[in-house]
Each structure stands twice: as C-alpha cells, then as structure tokens.
Amino acid sequence: MKTIRQIADEIGVSKQAVYKRYKGKLHTVCAPYAHTEQGVLYLSEQAETLIKQDFLKDDRSNGAHTERSIGAVPEQSQEAGVVAVVYAFIIGIFVYKTIKLKDIPRILVKGAATTAVSLFIIAMASIFSWFLAWESFPETVVNVMQALTSNGTVALCMVILFLFVLGLFVEGIPVLIVFAPILVPAMEAYGIDTLYFGIVLVLTVLVGSITPPVGSLLYLGSSIAKTTVSKAGKEVWIFVAMIMSVIGLLVIFPQIVLFLPDLLYN
C-alpha cells in the first residue's frame, strides 16, 4: 500500500497534479482499492496501476504532463487583458484625451508596481496551497468534516460561514487559491456538484471583498465614487444582505445553478 505522495513521486509529478488529474474525484475512482489510516489515504497496487496508466496515457497523447504546471492562466484571460489595455489606451488618448504620450512611462511603471504586488500575493498563496496539498491536508479536512456531520447541506453551511468570516480579514484571491483545492474534495465527498460549489464559493468570497476592514472592492469603489470608505461602508450592507440572500437561495435550491447545465449536458 502506498500514499498518493509516494505514487506521485514515482510518476514524477506533484501530489496536487494527481488530484487535478481526476478533478477532485480521486476518492471516488480509487475507493475500491483504498483505505484510510489515521487520516492518511493508502492506495493498493490496483489503484497505483490505474493512476500510472492514466498519466502514461497523457504523456503519449500530449508529450508531457500538462498537470505539472501549477496555477497556469488560460490564454483567453491573457488575450482579454491585452484587449482591455489597448481599448483603454485608445479611449484615453483619442476620445477623452486625458492621456498624453509623455504620461505613458509613468503609467507603465505604476501599472507594473500594482501588478507586482498582486502577483506576489498570488504566488505566495499558490505555494502555500501546493504545500497543503502535498501534506495531505485536503484528506484531513474531508475526514474532520465527515466526523462533524454526515449532512452535505450542513457541511456546505459550515464552509460558507468559515469563508465569510475569513473574507473579512483576508483578500479574496488568496482565499480562493489556498482553500479551493482543499474544500472541493471535501464537498465532493458529500456528493455536492463542483460547478455548484464553485459558484457558492465565489459569491461567499465576494462578500468579504466588499466588507471592511480588508474589502478591496470597497476601497476601489470608494476611490471611483470619490468618497470616503467610512461613508461607502455604511451603504454596502444592503448589497451584502442581497448577496447573502442569493447564497441562501442557492443552498436551499441548488437547481437554480444546476438546471441549465443539466439540461444542456443531458
């Protein structure tokens, strides 16, 4: 019997890559060939063979393990960002005429500094998330949550409450990067659809992004509206109530999210 880490080391990939290969369904795929001891998942030779064959198949078809790249950004996002920058550049120079050619170096330096801060936060969060996955933390979370409750709805409400409190003090993007790979396997263990949970997850983190004291979107909105954060903070709670109401409806009626995908794929 071997752990996922041992099998991943033999293949030459990270343990997180093994989880990503099965999109959070590793426990389901390997359930007949696995058992858990003291919170650690051990896989039999059949499961080891299954995993290695899947990765070998990927090597033959793609020429490399696509799962080895951690935190890769889709090309569509990069292209959209380029289009947005070019559009803003053209509008600023030729329509509003608020950008001069002499201002471009200063704008580029300021943009690089702002981007560097965000990318540094994302990089550190990604490293921490990879470390947690390497240390089997997702499996520990699954075991702890299943020990607390066997009801998927109750578990989902616990996660929502945890993310809401965490979002008050931590920026939204690091929260998603660190905790999404941990919580998705936990929710799948309760039979909760990953698409559905992803939408609930993003909405919950969004609440933390518009509430003080670390609400980045609240600061951004205050800057755009040219008002103080304290004044904007007094008005934001109606929007928080609306988002929380939507989250509550999604918890009670998951088909609000799932009916269209089910209709299309079925």
Side-chain angles (χ1 to χ4, degrees), residues 131-149:
F131 177 77
L132 291 177
W134 183 269
E135 292 297 325
S136 303
F137 193 70
E139 298 165 15
T140 303
V141 171
V142 171
N143 294 331
V144 170
M145 292 191 67
Q146 288 183 337
L148 292 175
T149 178

Side-chain angles (χ1 to χ4, degrees), residues 167-168 171 208-233 236:
L168 296 176
E171 182 59 48
S209 299
I210 63 175
T211 51
V214 193
S216 58
L217 297 181
L218 178 62
Y219 285 93
L220 179 62
S222 302
S223 175
I224 295 174
K226 297 180 180 181
T227 185
T228 62
V229 176
S230 58
K231 289 182 179 179
V236 77

Side-chain angles (χ1 to χ4, degrees), residues 14-125:
S14 68
K15 187 174 68 173
Q16 187 183 39
V18 177
Y19 276 107
K20 290 172 67 177
R21 171 65 180 82
Y22 293 95
K23 299 179 180 180
K25 298 180 180 179
L26 182 63
H27 290 77
T28 303
V29 173
C30 299
Y33 319 110
H35 73 277
T36 303
E37 292 182 6
Q38 297 180 347
V40 179
L41 182 67
Y42 289 90
L43 303 180
S44 66
E45 292 183 3
Q46 293 93 327
E48 178 185 353
T49 302
L50 174 65
I51 294 173
K52 289 183 176 180
Q53 286 177 346
D54 282 347
F55 274 83
L56 181 61
K57 186 188 304 180
D58 288 341
D59 271 347
R60 290 173 176 172
S61 59
N62 301 327
H65 294 310
T66 57
E67 290 81 4
R68 287 179 183 176
S69 61
I70 299 175
V73 180
E75 293 182 1
Q76 291 83 354
S77 300
Q78 298 174 0
E79 293 167 357
V82 172
V83 171
V85 170
V86 173
Y87 176 78
F89 183 77
I90 294 174
I91 294 296
I93 291 180
F94 299 106
V95 179
Y96 292 107
K97 298 181 179 179
T98 55
I99 299 178
K100 310 295 183 184
L101 291 178
K102 64 180 181 179
D103 296 331
I104 293 178
R106 176 181 57 82
I107 293 172
L108 293 176
V109 171
K110 186 176 180 180
T114 303
T115 304
V117 173
S118 301
L119 290 179
F120 181 78
I121 294 174
I122 293 173
M124 294 301 102

Side-chain angles (χ1 to χ4, degrees), residues 7 116 141 156 162:
I7 297 174
V141 171
L156 181 61
F162 168 72

